[in-house]
Amino acid sequence: MAAPSRSVLRVLSRCQSLFFTCRAPSVSCSSLTAHRQQQAVRSYAAAAAKQKEKKDETVQEKAVKERKRVDDKNRHKPYGLTAWAPVDDVYMVRHYPKPVYETSVAIEMLKNFQKLDFSPENQPVYINLRLDMKLEKKKKVDPFVSTINLPHSFKSDINKIVVFTENPDQARIAMENGAAVAGGAELVEKILADEITADFYLAEPDMVQKLLPLKNKLRKKFPKSKRGSVGMNIPKMLALFKSGHEYMVEDIYVNTQVATLDMPKEYILANIHAIVKDVASHKPAEFGSFIERAIVCSRSSEGLHIKIEELLPQEEKKEHVSIKAHCL
């Protein structure tokens, strides 16, 4: 019995030594590690590919989706609202379409609001315009800044203007026509040191390069030919900017003061028409109507939507009406 047991032990010890000295397991471990690495790489690549496919699908969906206009012409009520008009004096405003008034009616309402609120009579009147900046293909109208002379100014102070010129005669003419300061490149250091400040800065064309150190300081007030603040006719520029009213486009909106509430209704109407006409001139008529929506308000009142058609120039008005009829 002892002999067989010894032979079995020898066989087992021999098998154990062979098991630990064999190199095959090391090879299989390395191959297993490589397999795991390859599998991880492939799974990451598959995930990235799926993300790319999803991204492409979302881009295609966005390209296919278009904003559909709902035709409410023959509906018993506007889409998503309760009715065309409320039947009671007290109602939830968001459940009904916002009323659109004629401009003269809206101004009268603002004046009545002021009497009811006991707010100041000389509070400012603002207009807010939403613009359609699109042109052909993917082009858009660049945001702009414009200065116009309103038919009836609401400012009591004259704008302070600095004129850059190195011609002594032109400097004398500028001072005679209402410029606060006129001079050449020597004014740059004084402006940088805040010794001279102004509402507008005008310059002759040959002075623009010498004024580049002021670009970061003046920012939007820096003289530019597009704004009409660079030119040779200094008296004409001064006549515009001394009493001119400046407005700018922010994103797709124009929000600017047009009058004060104590001005006659006719004066406020004339100023609104002047600003709308100037805004509409910045987009070619062949690309459709520029102004999509107009709102007037005073400092203490709510905004009132006004009819765009009566504010537009004659040619653009016809085109806006034809586009509206086509949409309906």
Side-chain angles (χ1 to χ4, degrees), residues 155-221:
K155 294 181 180 179
S156 57
D157 300 331
I158 297 177
N159 295 323
K160 186 178 179 181
I161 301 175
V162 172
V163 177
F164 294 100
T165 177
E166 291 186 338
N167 187 335
D169 294 333
Q170 290 286 68
R172 178 180 55 80
I173 293 172
M175 296 298 294
E176 290 175 356
N177 283 271
V181 181
E186 69 277 3
L187 299 178
V188 173
E189 294 297 330
K190 295 181 179 180
I191 294 173
L192 290 173
D194 291 329
E195 296 179 12
I196 297 176
T197 57
D199 298 309
F200 296 101
Y201 297 85
L202 311 181
E204 292 183 335
D206 56 351
M207 287 292 300
V208 176
Q209 291 294 325
K210 300 178 182 180
L211 302 178
L212 290 179
L214 294 174
K215 202 161 189 178
N216 291 332
K217 178 74 174 179
L218 301 182
R219 296 183 179 272
K220 293 180 180 180
K221 293 183 180 181

Side-chain angles (χ1 to χ4, degrees), residues 107-108 111 121 125 152-153 258-272:
I107 294 172
E108 286 292 341
K111 289 180 176 290
E121 293 184 358
V125 177
H152 307 283
S153 178
V258 293
T260 54
L261 201 55
D262 58 346
M263 294 173 63
K265 180 176 70 174
E266 293 75 15
Y267 288 8
I268 301 176
L269 279 171
N271 286 353
I272 290 175

Side-chain angles (χ1 to χ4, degrees), residues 88-153:
D88 201 352
D89 294 338
V90 181
Y91 58 92
M92 298 292 288
V93 176
R94 67 175 181 269
H95 292 165
Y96 299 90
K98 293 181 180 179
V100 182
Y101 305 97
E102 294 182 359
T103 310
S104 58
V105 174
I107 294 172
E108 286 292 341
M109 292 177 66
L110 293 180
K111 289 180 176 290
N112 292 331
F113 293 159
Q114 179 271 322
K115 294 177 183 177
L116 293 172
D117 297 339
F118 297 100
S119 54
E121 293 184 358
N122 61 346
Q123 60 183 296
V125 177
Y126 301 96
I127 187 169
N128 180 278
L129 304 174
R130 186 177 67 195
L131 309 180
D132 180 11
M133 309 289 280
K134 295 178 183 178
L135 293 175
E136 58 182 358
K137 296 181 180 179
K138 295 184 179 181
K139 295 182 180 180
K140 293 184 179 181
V141 179
D142 294 328
F144 55 88
V145 178
S146 182
T147 304
I148 62 171
N149 273 325
L150 296 175
H152 307 283
S153 178

